[in-house]
Amino acid sequence: MPSNKSVSDAPIVQFTNCRILRDHQLQREDLWVREGKILNPEKLFFDEKGSADVQLDCKDSIIAPGFIDVQINGGFGVDFSLATDDFKSGIDLVSQKILSHGVTSFCPTLVTSPSSVYHQVLPQISVRNGGTHGAGILGAHLEGPFISKEKKGAHPEHCLRTFEAGAFQDLLATYGSLDCVQIVTLAPEMRRSSEVIRELTKRGICVSLGHSVANLSQAEEAVQHGATFITHLFNAMLPFHHRDPGIVGLLTSDRIPAGRKVFYGMISDGIHTNPAALRIAHRAHPKGLVLVTDAMAGMGLAPGRHTLGQQVVEIDGLNTYIAGTKTLSGSVATMDTCVRHFQEATGCAVETALEAASLHPAQLLGIEHKKGTLNYDSDADFLMLNDSLYVQATYIAGEEVWRQDVSGM
Amino acid sequence: MKLIILENYSQASEWAAKYIRNRIVQFGPGPGRFFTLGLPTGLPRDHPESYHSFMWNNFFKHIDISPENVHLLDGNAPDLQAECDAFEEKIKAAGGIELFVGGIGPDGHIAFNEPGSSLVSRTRVKTLAMDTILANARFFDGDLSKVPTMALTVGVGTVMDAREVMILITGAHKAFALYKAIEDGVNHMWTVSAFQQHPNTVFVCDEDATLELKVKTVKYFKGLMLVHNKLVEPLYSMKEMEAERSQSKKPYSD
């Protein structure tokens, strides 16, 4: 069909016979893509008198925005908290492998480590777009070392630090550089944490509360200073108590500044959180729920021993413990299994489950204008899934970067 | 005139759709031979409820029409009268309208030709009557102050020039207008009545719209349904037509 596209000559692809997630609902609409972005077909039709160059039949798949994992410590034998010589190829490997889990953007996460590790590793992490080479990197998530001794979980005690001496300067010295840092998890009950939270927030870094024994008012104060996330809710924090709900109480707190929302990460692998607890959190604050994998090096590999930063971890089925203990340390869950498990455990709508892994993390990081949705002019990072939410194909910037092998796994 | 009476809104819509489909297929459109479908125009361009959005979502995005073959009146044109005149020229250039499909207002208007419009009018700017503004308020959250008061519209004369006219009328609130349109005289206060003087008109309505008609009228046309249904059964397809181009059937005419 001859067309006179006045804005651009780039090819236009029209994905037909599909249900797309838009405006919180699955709608029977076609998805139009040009130059790596979602295109508005109505404007194309009337303003440019243009039409599609290629039409692809999606065989009634669900098309959802690509998943965004904001807490992933490694996988496939790669540990982001280990300063190895081939760190760069390690991160490339993980970013390429997680495409098959539906992840199109992620935040490589570093657990509590000695300062030298941060100084060596962080300069090797750069924010970059995804593509056929792998999922996009949004920035690092630094989980620790400014966390509570009592709730260290799998983090090594000898590396924990406080803000006593120089507050923000201490943090800067420990990490070396904040250039590619997107999220920092810290314990807000620590003295001088408020100033640190304010400084980080000023630099556009998302502050998350976790590995902490803070009570509700300490947590609320942290939110008032700028904290917006809770790291793996329920895990590594005080349990909910009806007279002091602790950090968990943020889900229904009335002291959140107007116009702001508190998000919370949940590892819905069926191990880290009992499904009943998952349901309580979801029902209390459905719009804040962000699915994370918290996957570590053993994800994608056979059961056995692996490292997680300074610790040795044992994998047995879906359970990952510090070797010789019953302390959970990371997970081997993949993002798509988390989405499926979340949907099954809560009985929520398919749209809700998909948004918890795409829209909500995008909103947390303030990037929902270009990621996490299928709105016009957003980056064309999306997935084709079947009705049981198994990923059939992954697209980044409108290009197919992974497809399920028809023959099987 | 053919008056087609179906039981309800869905059935009336379906009958009309099948009729239009058969007409297009039997016409045998192709490159250089356009089936020109005329539709009434409406609201200004930029509004979210704009006619462009309405037409895109309800029609254009479901079919494989080339954008160059779509001509909508542009309510944001700098010279509105020139825009209207150019539209009339485009209709001529396309070979005239083969089939015009429209509805009827509660005040008996066709397109936005409000009561008092000349029955030989052409495409022009019209100020809308209060009835029409009230009817359109539902597209603007019921806020009357937001409803546009002017519209570009094809004229009664423009529609009369079409080779065939189909009017869709459903609902009890249109019943009086239908009565005025077909059982009373030709009158510029009920502009749809102009089509009594058109050789090829089809009115498709539901039971509720016939509430103000004489029982005699309704019985007569219901009795003709056996014949009229032959216009929609069998349903033709372009592939079949290409196969039997030589044996084209002429549409029934009264």
Side-chain angles (χ1 to χ4, degrees):
Chain A
M1 209 179 293
S3 54
N4 169 26
K5 290 169 279 193
S6 45
V7 171
S8 154
D9 271 328
I12 296 173
V13 183
Q14 179 187 4
F15 294 86
T16 65
N17 190 13
C18 51
R19 289 159 285 154
I20 69 175
L21 177 57
R22 187 174 281 159
D23 293 331
H24 315 296
Q25 287 199 302
L26 283 181
Q27 306 179 358
R28 223 170 230 294
E29 291 284 348
D30 294 343
L31 187 73
W32 295 66
V33 177
R34 176 168 68 184
E35 286 180 307
K37 302 228 186 265
I38 313 276
L39 184 63
N40 181 342
E42 192 188 321
K43 268 178 87 172
L44 174 72
F45 187 85
F46 289 120
D47 291 348
E48 295 182 52
K49 307 249 186 281
S51 47
D53 293 295
V54 179
Q55 287 183 328
L56 292 174
D57 183 339
C58 301
K59 316 249 193 302
D60 201 30
S61 304
I62 291 175
I63 296 192
F67 298 147
I68 300 174
D69 194 353
V70 302
Q71 188 172 4
I72 166 172
N73 310 288
F76 307 97
V78 176
D79 180 353
F80 297 145
S81 307
L82 226 44
T84 58
D85 287 332
D86 57 349
F87 183 85
K88 273 219 166 84
S89 54
I91 213 175
D92 286 347
L93 177 74
V94 174
S95 73
Q96 202 268 320
K97 290 277 195 186
I98 56 181
L99 292 176
S100 65
H101 305 157
V103 177
T104 52
S105 303
F106 71 108
C107 293
T109 307
L110 274 75
V111 296
T112 298
S113 305
S115 179
S116 52
V117 170
Y118 297 114
H119 285 256
Q120 283 174 273
V121 168
L122 286 182
Q124 300 192 60
I125 297 179
S126 49
V127 172
R128 67 171 190 221
N129 288 330
T132 38
H133 56 274
I137 296 176
L138 298 170
H141 175 169
L142 303 178
E143 190 188 2
F146 301 99
I147 55 175
S148 150
K149 207 164 54 162
E150 290 105 311
K151 287 292 176 188
K152 64 182 189 293
H155 294 229
E157 185 165 341
H158 65 278
C159 299
L160 298 184
R161 299 179 67 105
T162 66
F163 296 127
E164 293 287 331
F168 185 72
Q169 293 311 316
D170 255 0
L171 180 138
L172 211 43
T174 307
Y175 293 142
S177 149
L178 289 176
D179 280 346
C180 292
V181 174
Q182 186 66 241
I183 309 174
V184 171
T185 294
L186 48 78
E189 70 274 18
M190 296 174 71
R191 240 174 51 85
R192 301 187 74 179
S193 65
S194 313
E195 357 172 341
V196 176
I197 295 175
R198 276 199 308 272
E199 271 303 317
L200 288 170
T201 309
K202 250 197 331 211
R203 284 148 199 260
I205 294 176
C206 167
V207 176
S208 184
L209 310 178
H211 287 277
S212 152
V213 293
N215 59 31
L216 181 56
S217 30
Q218 285 165 331
E220 281 166 342
E221 203 188 311
V223 170
Q224 268 144 24
H225 286 289
T228 49
F229 195 44
I230 302 173
T231 302
H232 45 55
L233 186 79
F234 295 129
N235 299 105
M237 57 185 65
L238 291 176
F240 173 85
H241 183 281
H242 51 288
R243 274 189 296 275
D244 188 355
I247 293 179
V248 180
L250 285 177
L251 263 56
T252 45
S253 163
D254 56 0
R255 304 268 218 83
I256 313 290
R260 281 228 267 125
K261 200 190 303 185
V262 172
F263 291 89
Y264 56 100
M266 295 240 58
I267 309 170
S268 63
D269 60 352
I271 312 281
H272 281 72
T273 309
N274 184 295
L278 180 58
R279 284 190 286 272
I280 288 179
H282 168 63
R283 288 179 205 177
H285 182 28
K287 291 206 173 26
L289 198 149
V290 171
L291 292 175
V292 300
T293 58
D294 200 18
M296 38 74 75
M299 180 268 283
L301 301 180
R305 289 192 156 214
H306 300 276
T307 63
L308 178 59
Q310 311 295 309
Q311 304 272 31
V312 177
V313 163
E314 246 168 40
I315 300 175
D316 160 30
L318 281 175
N319 301 303
T320 51
Y321 301 117
I322 296 186
T325 73
K326 280 291 172 198
T327 305
L328 289 174
S329 56
S331 80
V332 289
T334 64
M335 189 53 114
D336 56 323
T337 21
C338 286
V339 170
R340 285 193 293 275
H341 183 268
F342 172 63
Q343 198 273 318
E344 270 167 49
T346 58
C348 69
V350 157
E351 295 91 326
T352 311
L354 294 170
E355 285 189 337
S358 55
L359 175 65
H360 295 176
Q363 287 172 331
L364 165 70
L365 299 177
I367 54 175
E368 72 267 30
H369 54 281
K370 54 178 180 134
K371 299 253 186 245
T373 70
L374 295 177
N375 293 341
Y376 301 138
D377 300 328
S378 279
D379 290 352
D381 296 349
F382 58 90
L383 313 170
M384 287 193 203
L385 307 116
N386 64 15
D387 284 340
S388 315
L389 300 185
Y390 279 85
V391 182
Q392 308 293 302
T394 307
Y395 286 75
I396 293 184
E399 221 191 309
E400 184 184 288
V401 295
W402 181 81
R403 175 161 286 275
Q404 169 78 282
D405 227 344
V406 181
S407 55
M409 291 309 284
Chain B
M1 127 184 119
K2 301 190 207 25
L3 178 64
I4 315 288
I5 303 171
L6 281 314
E7 209 180 300
N8 55 40
Y9 176 83
S10 315
Q11 288 189 12
S13 308
E14 202 179 319
W15 196 100
K18 287 179 174 168
Y19 181 79
I20 297 172
R21 171 183 164 154
N22 273 355
R23 280 286 274 114
I24 295 175
V25 173
Q26 284 168 333
F27 175 86
R33 181 172 158 79
F34 292 108
F35 183 97
T36 309
L37 185 69
L39 296 161
T41 55
L43 309 170
R45 171 71 212 284
D46 281 339
H47 195 275
E49 297 301 336
S50 83
Y51 199 64
H52 284 68
S53 291
F54 179 84
M55 289 307 294
W56 169 257
N57 284 311
N58 289 298
F59 190 34
F60 300 135
K61 81 178 178 197
H62 303 281
I63 59 176
D64 61 351
I65 188 168
S66 247
E68 306 88 62
N69 294 335
V70 173
H71 309 281
L72 295 188
L73 278 171
D74 181 5
N76 291 324
D79 182 345
L80 292 177
Q81 194 48 52
E83 170 74 9
C84 294
D85 294 340
F87 197 71
E88 289 275 343
E89 288 305 312
K90 282 187 209 157
I91 294 174
K92 276 205 201 78
I97 297 177
E98 185 64 32
L99 171 65
F100 187 95
V101 180
I104 190 177
D107 57 4
H109 72 238
I110 174 74
F112 281 118
N113 292 287
E114 308 286 55
S117 294
S118 158
L119 297 180
V120 295
S121 52
R122 310 303 305 184
T123 306
R124 67 216 185 285
V125 185
K126 275 298 284 186
T127 309
L128 303 180
M130 181 46 83
D131 262 355
T132 308
I133 293 177
L134 288 171
N136 283 334
R138 65 198 158 110
F139 296 121
F140 296 86
D141 296 321
D143 185 351
L144 287 184
S145 63
K146 292 208 181 103
V147 186
T149 53
M150 308 237 287
L152 299 185
T153 180
V154 286
V156 183
T158 317
V159 182
M160 283 291 286
D161 282 348
R163 276 181 279 289
E164 186 172 359
V165 178
M166 171 187 269
I167 310 285
L168 296 157
I169 309 149
T170 53
H173 57 301
K174 303 285 176 82
F176 193 73
L178 178 59
Y179 151 66
K180 279 289 184 185
I182 64 177
E183 284 187 342
D184 244 11
V186 174
N187 188 321
H188 68 172
M189 282 303 175
W190 301 89
T191 46
V192 183
S193 61
F195 300 114
Q196 291 178 24
Q197 301 199 298
H198 189 289
N200 263 325
T201 313
V202 182
F203 283 86
V204 181
C205 63
D206 65 353
E207 292 279 356
D208 283 347
T210 63
L211 287 174
E212 295 280 355
L213 297 179
K214 287 206 170 81
V215 175
K216 186 165 85 172
T217 311
V218 175
K219 283 195 170 181
Y220 171 66
F221 284 104
K222 276 194 173 166
L224 285 174
M225 281 308 288
L226 264 169
V227 178
H228 289 156
N229 275 333
K230 295 213 179 99
L231 295 165
V232 295
E233 279 150 35
L235 208 50
Y236 298 113
S237 77
M238 289 299 290
K239 294 190 191 107
E240 279 170 24
M241 274 294 120
E242 258 136 43
E244 33 163 303
R245 181 53 58 207
S246 48
Q247 302 165 36
S248 58
K249 298 189 177 82
K250 291 219 172 42
Y252 170 81
S253 63
D254 54 359

